[in-house]
Amino acid sequence: MTPDERAALDRRRRHRNWAMLGALGGLVVLFYFITIAKFVH
């Protein structure tokens, strides 16, 4: 594997990690608001 291919793979992996972090954070926020909404009612 050439250094360019390795760099591209690392870049792709980093983007995927950030996307997963964003999705996980979105779920946490969603559950938080659902819990707050249940307490209000």
Side-chain angles (χ1 to χ4, degrees):
M1 185 177 282
T2 66
D4 287 341
E5 289 173 334
R6 170 67 70 189
L9 192 65
D10 288 343
R11 238 189 336 269
R12 230 175 299 141
R13 188 175 293 137
R14 200 171 305 122
H15 286 296
R16 191 171 57 230
N17 287 345
W18 278 112
M20 287 296 293
L21 182 67
L24 199 59
L27 279 174
V28 168
V29 170
L30 182 67
F31 287 137
Y32 176 77
F33 282 122
I34 288 171
T35 304
I36 295 298
K38 283 184 180 180
F39 278 128
V40 169
H41 287 294

